[in-house]
């Protein structure tokens, strides 16, 4: 079977992570995603380290399944070329600051008039209006404002950002979902629409109970380190050989199994630990008991015992372990893509599997302007003379 989104044409004008990752998600499913980049420079991340043979790993990681076209937006010919591409597109993704597209002569009103069926996704830090409209916003700053940092880290330590760009990634997933919803609606109505997303609003959806607890009960969530926020025992425990195991065993069935695994059934008779509510009230004491047991065992031994009892647990593995993870390899989720400059590079593939069809992304992140002529010929039907004229007019560089 053919990829599900084959025939969907996407213009990806975005930079960094949130927009590019959304475009990559669509490209992985078969959409023809054209990464439209600034002529001569490209996505700002192309200069980021680390690099392999001069190409940024950062850019590589979020721009798979795309083709690259350079457009000089500072020229009239470049802006006209973009409008020509828009007329052929189904979707346009951008994550400039609010007002930037309008300054380029490519605001929603202009694009919608040029192509009423266009679905445009506009991602910004804080939204297209409001008091923070013009404030620049990157992932870490949004984690700070959204409250995510305030609940991350040790109770006695400083607030911490997540170890990955959580907000950018969740925004990208929301963007891809919204695009597909708008595409389904367009199939019924024939009309495209503008979709607005802000990093702040997407980040706030990750707070789970935090907002209702604060608004209704007046309870401000605090940092709890690695302790589970709702169950106990649930924490990251050090083992005898210096490793760590994350264990969640707060429910009554799981705690019963844990007591069996530790050989300490008497814990169930202790009033402090007999019920889920009591354990949560005395979470430091139960953590101490579990922690003492962990320190008597090596990481491998403790994990073997916990697995034998069906408990929710995992050793804390680093990325050297992850690239060798037997489950990911068995499921064929770690891809090796052949890049024209970087060579063969491993990356994580699509996290889903469809019953009726199976395919793997095969197109690596493009080099800057790699598909200029190819895309202009396919999308716009331009011949070599017309493409050369665009190059002379400085609309494209090659």
């Amino acid at each position: 079977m053919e990829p599900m989104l084959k025939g969907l044409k996407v213009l990806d004008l975005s930079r960094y992570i949130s927009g590019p990752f959304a475009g990559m998600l669509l490209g992985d499913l078969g959409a023809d995603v054209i990464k439209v980049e600034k002529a001569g420079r490209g996505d700002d991340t192309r200069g980021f380290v680390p690099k392999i043979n001069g190409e940024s790993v950062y850019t590589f990681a979020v721009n798979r399944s795309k083709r690259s076209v350079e457009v000089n937006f500072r020229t009239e010919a470049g802006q006209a070329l973009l409008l020509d591409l828009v007329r052929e597109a189904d979707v346009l993704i951008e994550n400039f600051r609010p007002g930037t597209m309008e300054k380029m002569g490519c605001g929603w009103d202009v694009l919608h008039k040029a192509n009423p069926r266009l679905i445009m996704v506009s991602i910004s830090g804080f939204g297209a209006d409001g008091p923070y409209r013009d404030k620049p916003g990157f992932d870490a700053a949004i984690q700070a404002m959204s409250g995510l940092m305030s609940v991350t880290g040790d109770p006695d330590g400083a607030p911490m950002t997540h170890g990955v760009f959580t907000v950018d990634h969740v925004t990208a997933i929301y963007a891809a979902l919204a695009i597909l919803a708008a595409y389904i609606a367009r199939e019924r109505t024939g009309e495209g629409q503008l979709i607005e997303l802000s990093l702040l609003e997407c980040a706030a959806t990750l707070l789970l109970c935090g907002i209702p607890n604060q608004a209704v009960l007046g309870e401000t969530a605090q940092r709890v380190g690695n302790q589970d926020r709702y169950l106990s025992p649930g924490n990251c425990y050090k083992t005898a050989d210096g490793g760590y195991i994350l264990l969640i065993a707060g429910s009554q069935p799981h705690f019963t199994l844990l007591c069996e695994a530790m050989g300490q059934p008497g814990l169930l008779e202790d009033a402090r630990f007999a019920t889920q509510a009591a354990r949560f009230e005395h979470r430091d004491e139960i953590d101490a008991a579990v922690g003492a047991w962990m320190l008597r065992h090596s990481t491998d031994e403790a994990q073997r015992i916990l697995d034998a009892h069906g408990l929710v647990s995992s050793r804390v593995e680093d990325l050297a372990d992850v690239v060798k993870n037997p489950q990911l390899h068995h499921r064929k989720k770690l891809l090796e893509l052949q890049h024209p400059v970087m060579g063969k590079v491993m990356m994580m593939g699509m996290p889903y599997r469809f019953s009726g069809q199976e395919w793997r992304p095969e197109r690596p992140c493009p080099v800057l302007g790699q598909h200029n002529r190819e895309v202009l010929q396919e999308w716009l039907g331009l011949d070599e003379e017309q493409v050369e004229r665009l190059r002379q007019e400085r609309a494209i560089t090659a």
Side-chain angles (χ1 to χ4, degrees), residues 173-190:
I173 295 168
Y174 278 130
L177 175 63
I179 287 167
L180 295 180
Y183 179 63
I184 292 170
R186 195 191 72 178
E187 293 302 289
R188 295 196 310 267
T189 67

Side-chain angles (χ1 to χ4, degrees), residues 23-242:
M24 189 180 87
L25 293 176
L26 300 176
D28 281 350
L29 293 172
D32 184 10
V33 181
I34 308 303
K35 184 172 180 62
V36 182
E37 305 187 65
K38 289 178 288 188
R41 178 178 174 183
D43 189 323
D44 295 338
T45 65
R46 288 194 180 273
F48 288 12
V49 294
K51 292 186 175 184
I52 299 175
N53 296 332
E55 292 287 321
S56 171
V57 176
Y58 190 117
T59 310
F60 177 90
V62 292
N63 287 287
R64 177 180 69 211
S65 301
K66 302 178 185 180
R67 296 188 284 176
S68 171
V69 170
E70 293 177 276
V71 177
N72 186 350
F73 300 115
R74 296 182 180 275
T75 66
E76 290 186 10
Q79 293 180 9
L81 175 59
L82 178 59
L83 278 177
D84 286 341
L85 291 169
V86 165
R87 291 186 181 95
E88 300 298 320
D90 297 294
V91 177
L92 183 146
I93 303 171
E94 66 92 7
N95 63 350
F96 299 108
R97 282 202 207 180
T100 301
M101 291 290 287
E102 285 76 10
K103 290 178 182 177
M104 295 194 310
C106 300
W108 168 243
D109 291 344
V110 173
L111 300 185
H112 182 60
K113 182 177 180 180
N115 181 359
R117 291 175 58 81
L118 181 71
I119 297 164
M120 177 172 169
V121 179
S122 181
I123 300 171
S124 62
F126 303 95
D129 52 21
Y132 297 155
R133 173 187 184 273
D134 296 320
K135 185 179 176 67
F138 277 9
D139 185 292
I142 303 300
Q143 287 193 40
M145 182 180 289
S146 68
L148 290 177
M149 278 185 67
S150 75
V151 297
T152 306
D154 290 329
D156 299 324
M160 296 184 68
T161 59
H162 297 183
V164 295
F165 299 112
T166 307
V167 176
D168 280 332
H169 279 86
V170 75
T171 301
I173 295 168
Y174 278 130
L177 175 63
I179 287 167
L180 295 180
Y183 179 63
I184 292 170
R186 195 191 72 178
E187 293 302 289
R188 295 196 310 267
T189 67
E191 280 289 316
Q193 58 184 298
L194 172 64
I195 301 167
E196 288 186 43
L197 285 166
S198 84
L199 299 181
L200 176 62
E201 290 156 6
C202 291
T205 68
L206 300 175
L207 296 172
L208 192 62
C209 301
I211 288 177
N213 277 1
Q214 181 68 57
V216 179
L217 303 177
E219 297 177 353
T220 303
Q222 303 297 316
R223 293 186 292 283
V224 296
N226 288 315
Q227 275 192 335
D228 189 281
R229 197 170 290 277
Y230 305 103
L231 296 172
S232 190
N235 213 329
C236 189
Y237 304 94
K238 191 173 184 177
T239 58
D241 56 0

